[in-house]
Amino acid sequence: MAEFLGSVWWMIVSLGVLVTFHEFGHYWVARRCGVKVLRFSVGFGKPLWSRRNRNGTEFAIAAIPLGGYVKMLDEREVEVPAGERAVAFNNKTVWQRIAIVAAGPIANLLLCIALLWAMFIIGRQDYSATLGRVTGMAAQAGFVAGDQLLAVEDRPVGTWAEASMALTTAAMDRSDVHVRVRDVLDNERTRLLPLSQLPAGFDERQVPVLAGLAWQFWLQPARVTEVTPGSAADKLIQPDDLILAVDGQRVDDAGEVLPLIQQLGQRGGPGMIEVERAGERLALEITPQPGQAPDGKPIWRIGLGFATGQMPAYDARQQYGPLAALPAAVRETGKLATDSLGMMRRMLTGAASLKNVSGPITIARVANVSAQRGLDWFLYFLALLSLSLCIINLLPIPILDGGHLLYYLIELVKGSPLSERAMAAGQSIGLALLAGLMGLAFYNDILSLVLR
């Protein structure tokens, strides 16, 4: 329940901030162009709060927090007195109308840069792109545990998230990539990762795993938290011992202990388990005991419990001074925009799955997780969402800002506005496309909850 309430709250906060800036862009430019604004609403539906200013504009907060709108005086919607026709939106020049419509997405773009600027000043904490375990394709390509990824092709990567995105993009394009790494001896090397060999229909969210790469921060130290009384480990292993090896095989992660115990049990007889205790390395002889798993299958046990699910401390930080943070924010915005547009292009061509389309449920969950991770991550989430809102609104779909801009560009070319019939047809097409997109987003959201 706490997670649900937190998700709802942070989604309302996030959308409230982004929608307010978007609509304020429309409002501010409309007022500069001399257009009378009737209502500025954050949210849809019945107003929960409203107030009218001296210019006659009603400012409102409505019940459904999934958007907003700025309603301007327009002869196509209401009868306008002769004395106010000059301040009606439809009587403004085409360039003024273009400026008013484009101001919303531009406001979101500027907000994205401002949020990233603030994030870089605070400093975004993250995990380095250091490998903790290497198997399969990556091992065959020469990658080893301890390698730190520095660049994927010509794209520098400073964190695991940046590296994952670069690898995922290459995998969707069915491309082999040159990866520059720094090994444990501080030597830089370039290795070829054959991502084109990934099977058809692979899960795009699991590219590093499918390639055999496990980030170092994923690995949980095999530190003992409890010892079952009467078990094979009782009076032999103590809480806070760190398991280093089982039967001569190194242990880097708590998840590796159980499979190694199964191998030892199947081999039969005692084996050695190496632990670190109070800074001293000990080799202890242990014999696994046969038992039964919850599904009835036989299993070997020694009676140890480990703490899992705990995130380690961050080991990477991106931080700049106030002046240096601005160009860094602009560069990051450009990179995010390129990734977003590239993903949209790949979904249209079929190179990327439509499962990547997310809706309000996913937004709410990510907003909650980001807020819990700290102000730096929440600012990054808001920036990414603001940029997404900018890009989506600029799509040439009637009913969106981009659709209106398309109308005005056609008007510039032909010298007169589109007919009301053509605009009505466009609105119907736009509504159908938007409904389909929203339906797909909700379907993916619900599917992700079911398969969670």
Side-chain angles (χ1 to χ4, degrees), residues 18 39 47-48 97 99 111 139 157 163 182 201 208 222 230 274 279 298 339 346 392 401 405 420:
L18 302 185
R39 175 180 285 181
L48 301 175
R97 282 177 276 143
L111 177 61
V157 293
R182 179 183 293 117
E274 297 178 45
D339 288 339
R346 292 180 181 90
I392 290 172
D401 292 334
L405 290 174
E420 291 189 9

Side-chain angles (χ1 to χ4, degrees), residues 271-348:
M272 302 302 293
I273 186 167
E274 297 178 45
V275 305
E276 181 183 283
R277 179 183 302 165
E280 184 180 359
R281 186 170 184 136
L282 305 174
L284 309 170
E285 186 179 277
I286 194 167
T287 302
Q289 299 171 338
Q292 194 174 57
D295 59 3
K297 294 182 179 179
I299 190 173
W300 295 92
R301 292 178 173 148
I302 59 174
L304 297 181
F306 303 95
T308 58
Q310 297 180 355
M311 298 299 290
Y314 292 115
D315 59 358
R317 188 183 187 90
Q318 292 176 296
Q319 188 171 24
Y320 303 92
L323 293 180
L326 182 57
V330 173
R331 289 194 301 270
E332 185 72 11
T333 300
K335 186 165 62 176
L336 292 174
T338 300
D339 288 339
S340 298
L341 292 171
M343 181 63 74
M344 293 173 64
R345 174 181 59 81
R346 292 180 181 90
M347 285 192 287
L348 288 174

Side-chain angles (χ1 to χ4, degrees), residues 13-173:
V13 170
S14 302
L15 294 182
V17 170
L18 302 185
V19 168
T20 299
F21 269 84
H22 180 92
E23 300 305 335
F24 182 77
H26 291 312
Y27 170 80
W28 189 83
V29 176
R31 294 295 299 137
R32 301 289 81 74
C33 292
V35 175
K36 182 176 181 179
V37 179
L38 303 178
R39 175 180 285 181
F40 181 118
S41 178
V42 176
F44 298 114
K46 183 178 180 180
L48 301 175
W49 173 90
S50 66
R51 180 180 177 182
R52 198 175 298 275
N53 71 1
R54 63 185 180 184
N55 296 317
T57 303
E58 179 190 8
F59 293 85
I61 298 176
I64 305 174
L66 295 179
Y69 61 92
V70 171
K71 184 177 182 180
M72 303 172 217
L73 189 67
D74 195 315
E75 289 182 312
R76 296 167 299 181
E77 298 177 0
V78 295
E79 186 175 346
V80 178
E84 291 191 323
R85 287 175 183 168
V87 295
F89 175 78
N90 63 291
N91 289 326
K92 296 301 176 180
T93 69
V94 64
W95 285 111
Q96 286 177 314
R97 282 177 276 143
I98 287 174
I100 292 169
V101 171
I106 291 173
N108 282 126
L109 178 62
L110 294 176
L111 177 61
C112 173
I113 295 173
L115 290 167
L116 291 174
W117 174 79
M119 179 201 73
F120 280 130
I121 290 177
I122 294 171
R124 183 179 67 173
Q125 300 185 95
D126 206 344
Y127 297 103
S128 67
T130 303
L131 302 177
R133 185 168 57 238
V134 178
T135 57
M137 174 192 303
Q140 294 174 7
F143 291 85
V144 294
D147 280 353
Q148 181 182 356
L149 277 62
L150 303 176
V152 177
E153 290 297 342
D154 57 352
R155 176 172 174 170
V157 293
T159 66
W160 74 276
E162 293 175 343
S164 295
M165 184 64 193
L167 293 172
T168 300
T169 299
M172 288 188 292
D173 292 338

Side-chain angles (χ1 to χ4, degrees), residues 397-400 403-404 407 420-434:
I397 298 175
I399 205 174
L400 296 178
H404 291 292
Y407 290 155
E420 291 189 9
R421 182 177 179 181
M423 292 184 70
Q427 294 292 91
S428 299
I429 294 172
L431 282 171
L433 289 172
L434 200 57

